Amino acid sequence: MLRASDYNLHPQLAWKYQPFPAPSIAANVVFLERAGSFRWVLFDDKFTWETSDPTQGSWERRDYGSDEATPTSGTGHAMTRLGYDRALLFGGMDRQLHACEGTHVYDWDRGWMLATYSTKNDPPLRAFAALAALPNRTAVLFGGYDPATSDVLSDTWLFTFVGGDEMGRGTWTHVDTRAPAVAPSARAFHGLVGGRMTPGGPEIALLFGGSANSQLTPPTCDNDLWLFDPAK
């Protein structure tokens, strides 16, 4: 495992403030790459923004329309990279605090697309869940809460991208974590990230923290670290 001392970063240089062209109450940022080109995609409470160099503050607002292929504006969406040049977005709630429907894939060439034929096999609606990228164009979703009931969730789902130019680009599979399986407790507002623990090691997802209720009041899930291995 790499240590902080392995990087020659001065503490005062590791973070640098970068102005953003418009105010935003909440946003998800995903880094994509294709054939040596790079793109950062940001989905906030109103718009989709893109840039090839965020250090220069050169964000461009993109209008992908208001049809069902474009995610609903709001907050609490979960978003992650899907493969190298796509992003996956699920969940969230609109400005009337209603849960957002649909699974959406951002494609490098086409922008936003619906990712499934229907919402029938999607995970239950939720906001402030977390998504993490896994190998082979898959992603894991955990937790969140239902805006309609404020119930905090503890279910695990896997999304698998299968390609294609029409709807039906991916499928959701529920992961059974009932006893005797071990799984994190119900939570929202948690962190979830995919990657390798060691160079050349298996790609896994790490989950940390969160709140045990939808109001961000105690009890919380402090110092609660979980590892998800899709190969097991």
Side-chain angles (χ1 to χ4, degrees):
M1 181 180 298
L2 297 178
R3 301 166 296 178
S5 58
D6 293 328
Y7 297 93
N8 295 319
L9 288 177
H10 190 283
Q12 294 181 347
L13 299 180
W15 289 100
K16 180 181 178 182
Y17 172 70
Q18 294 293 336
F20 190 70
S24 174
I25 62 171
N28 291 275
V29 183
V30 172
F31 167 71
L32 307 178
E33 58 181 301
R34 174 190 282 183
S37 297
F38 306 100
R39 182 182 298 175
W40 282 257
V41 179
L42 185 150
F43 184 78
D44 67 5
D45 56 308
K46 296 180 181 179
F47 306 110
T48 303
W49 301 81
E50 299 173 1
T51 183
S52 59
D53 187 357
T55 65
Q56 301 301 317
S58 55
W59 290 90
E60 178 183 359
R61 195 182 89 184
R62 298 295 302 272
D63 183 6
Y64 288 107
S66 58
D67 60 17
E68 61 180 356
T70 304
T72 303
S73 298
T75 187
H77 306 85
M79 186 173 171
T80 191
R81 179 165 157 165
L82 190 64
Y84 292 101
D85 57 0
R86 295 179 179 88
L88 174 69
L89 183 145
F90 181 79
M93 58 185 181
D94 62 21
R95 297 175 187 180
Q96 288 71 47
L97 304 184
H98 300 142
C100 300
E101 293 189 358
T103 304
H104 298 83
V105 165
Y106 174 92
D107 180 82
W108 183 288
D109 297 314
R110 299 181 58 189
W112 290 106
M113 303 182 296
L114 279 176
T116 55
Y117 280 111
S118 73
T119 60
K120 180 176 65 174
N121 296 317
D122 286 2
L125 300 180
R126 67 195 65 206
F128 296 101
L131 272 168
L134 294 172
N136 303 317
R137 297 190 296 183
T138 62
V140 57
L141 171 79
F142 182 84
Y145 77 88
D146 182 349
T149 64
S150 295
D151 290 340
V152 181
L153 306 172
S154 62
D155 50 346
T156 304
W157 293 77
L158 284 176
F159 180 85
T160 303
F161 183 81
V162 296
D165 292 330
E166 304 299 328
M167 287 195 303
R169 300 172 188 84
T171 58
W172 285 104
T173 303
H174 179 243
V175 179
D176 188 353
T177 56
R178 295 173 296 178
V182 179
S185 59
R187 67 191 68 199
F189 308 100
H190 46 290
L192 185 64
V193 64
R196 301 180 191 272
M197 294 285 286
T198 58
E203 293 194 47
I204 51 86
L206 284 176
L207 182 151
F208 181 78
S211 173
N213 60 73
S214 62
Q215 305 302 317
L216 285 176
T217 57
T220 60
C221 306
D222 296 333
N223 299 322
D224 192 358
L225 182 66
W226 292 82
L227 184 152
F228 179 82
D229 186 346
K232 295 183 179 181

